Amino acid sequence: MSDEKSPAAQYWSANLRLILGCLIVWAFVSYGCAILFRPLLAGIQFGGTDLGFWFAQQGSILSFIGLIFFYAWRMNKLDKKFDLGE
């Protein structure tokens, strides 16, 4: 067996790294900013309320929408890199 990965294995590995990165951001925003770090963010005003409450109510949703667009953009670049475009 050679040490080189096949292109399919490299593609899947890059895809898994991207998914893992998105999941880390998702967990940080939804659990970290909205729940765990809410008392620390309570003193920061944003959008007429404190930042912790804003993340719990609106920031998480906006972050998730941003993650969807980021994932689609990165997957398009990854598809082109591995010549898997439409």
Side-chain angles (χ1 to χ4, degrees):
M1 296 191 91
S2 68
D3 292 333
E4 291 275 331
K5 288 184 180 179
S6 70
Q10 290 176 351
Y11 176 79
W12 186 243
S13 177
N15 187 10
L16 287 178
R17 280 193 309 271
L18 179 59
I19 291 171
L20 182 62
C22 288
L23 283 174
I24 289 170
V25 170
W26 168 79
F28 177 75
V29 169
S30 63
Y31 293 114
C33 293
I35 298 171
L36 298 175
F37 303 129
R38 189 186 185 297
L40 297 172
L41 299 173
I44 303 170
Q45 292 296 312
F46 184 80
T49 185
D50 67 88
L51 189 59
F53 181 78
W54 184 84
F55 265 112
Q57 297 300 314
Q58 295 174 348
S60 296
I61 295 169
L62 294 176
S63 299
F64 300 154
I65 292 170
L67 278 173
I68 291 169
F69 284 107
F70 174 76
Y71 179 77
W73 172 69
R74 289 293 296 165
M75 281 305 297
N76 284 335
K77 287 182 72 172
L78 193 63
D79 288 346
K80 288 178 185 173
K81 178 180 176 184
F82 285 93
D83 199 26
L84 297 171
E86 294 179 28

